Amino acid sequence: MKKSVYDNEQELLKAIIELHCPEGIELDPMYFKGNFYKGIKEPKYKFDIAPQVLGVKKADAKDLPIDNDSIDSVILDPPFMFGIHGNTEKYYSSRTHGILKDFQALKELYQGILKEAYRVLKRNGTCIFKCQDYTDSKTTMTHCEVYNWAKEIGFYAKDLAILHLPKGKVYNPNLTQRHLRKTHSYFWVLKKT
Ligand SMILES: C[S@@+](CC[C@H](N)C(=O)[O-])C[C@H]1O[C@@H](n2cnc3c(N)ncnc32)[C@H](O)[C@@H]1O
């Protein structure tokens, strides 16, 4: 039985793929090093704004060289941290895949990639969107923002899975803890209606 909470990213992705896009993921425009595809079929189209590995083409996920209504499934995994101040950039960028300037930058990127995914997907196509909530000095419930932005664009939020990875969490040990440490991320399954 496929459930909604996992402690292994590949098992989670396999469940979503089997249920919602059995042909596999066709497009990954934020590929990075392709950590998703351990035991999972590689996508046909792979892009990144800063390609790291062979076979990945350079493109902006907000403006892809892909025709309208031509793709069955896409996965989006944008950077989730924002708010550059003091040493945050220096501290985090060596440990993660980048940090966005502020919430406005996150909003522009997320809305832009959602709109572009909607444009390239066929009707009834599937967009898997990985995101996580983020606490800096205050908490942003990013997964709620993604839900609202996706709905505004026309997506139907058909499903949601949670990945719980208590180990390897990125945090700044120099700060006093004032919020629960977020050890989970979300995978929205959005359908183009
Ligand atoms: C969190 S990483 C993706 C990790 C990947 N899913 C993996 O498991 O290996 C985010 C990626 O998005 C890329 N990126 C950021 N902004 C982008 C944009 N506008 N267009 C395309 N790629 C972008 C970054 O270069 C980075 O490689």
Side-chain angles (χ1 to χ4, degrees):
M1 195 199 24
K2 295 160 196 69
K3 50 201 173 61
S4 58
V5 180
Y6 290 81
D7 56 12
N8 176 294
E9 190 163 62
Q10 275 65 40
E11 294 307 314
L12 180 153
L13 283 171
K14 276 183 202 161
I16 290 182
I17 290 168
E18 267 183 47
L19 210 52
H20 297 296
C21 46
E23 303 300 316
I25 294 165
E26 191 175 6
L27 162 67
D28 185 340
M30 314 188 97
Y31 186 85
F32 188 57
K33 294 182 180 167
N35 292 319
F36 283 155
Y37 309 101
K38 294 172 187 151
I40 288 178
K41 192 171 89 178
E42 288 274 335
K44 181 170 175 194
Y45 302 106
K46 310 179 207 180
F47 300 98
D48 200 288
I49 199 107
Q52 305 275 330
V53 289
L54 270 175
V56 179
K57 291 189 180 152
K58 185 176 167 68
D60 186 339
K62 299 193 275 356
D63 184 18
L64 293 167
I66 301 266
D67 289 341
N68 291 350
D69 312 304
S70 64
I71 295 289
D72 286 308
S73 55
V74 54
I75 190 160
L76 298 172
D77 179 14
F80 67 94
M81 288 193 284
F82 62 88
I84 298 170
H85 50 77
N87 280 331
T88 26
E89 188 170 21
K90 207 171 74 201
Y91 185 81
Y92 284 122
S93 46
S94 58
R95 289 166 170 74
T96 67
H97 317 313
I99 179 162
L100 297 159
K101 183 166 162 272
D102 50 22
F103 178 73
Q104 189 55 32
L106 179 136
K107 182 175 177 181
E108 281 168 22
L109 176 65
Y110 282 34
Q111 287 183 326
I113 61 178
L114 279 165
K115 275 188 195 144
E116 187 64 349
Y118 196 86
R119 180 186 71 77
V120 300
L121 278 173
K122 292 178 189 165
R123 200 154 156 249
N124 222 17
T126 306
C127 173
I128 304 165
F129 196 118
K130 181 180 179 184
C131 57
Q132 33 191 310
D133 300 335
Y134 182 55
T135 302
D136 188 6
S137 50
K138 63 177 187 139
T139 299
T140 301
M141 297 298 179
T142 307
H143 78 286
C144 299
E145 304 283 1
V146 170
Y147 173 77
N148 288 329
W149 294 331
K151 259 182 43 163
E152 274 166 27
I153 287 164
F155 280 112
Y156 159 54
K158 184 172 182 186
D159 230 334
L160 178 64
I162 290 173
L163 178 65
H164 184 230
L165 291 180
K167 291 190 190 133
K169 172 73 189 148
V170 179
Y171 70 99
N172 186 342
N174 304 320
L175 300 178
T176 309
Q177 180 171 6
R178 293 197 175 81
H179 303 81
L180 298 174
R181 193 87 71 219
K182 310 292 179 296
T183 53
H184 64 290
S185 51
Y186 301 86
F187 288 71
W188 281 113
V189 178
L190 308 167
K191 285 275 177 186
K192 175 168 173 175
T193 49

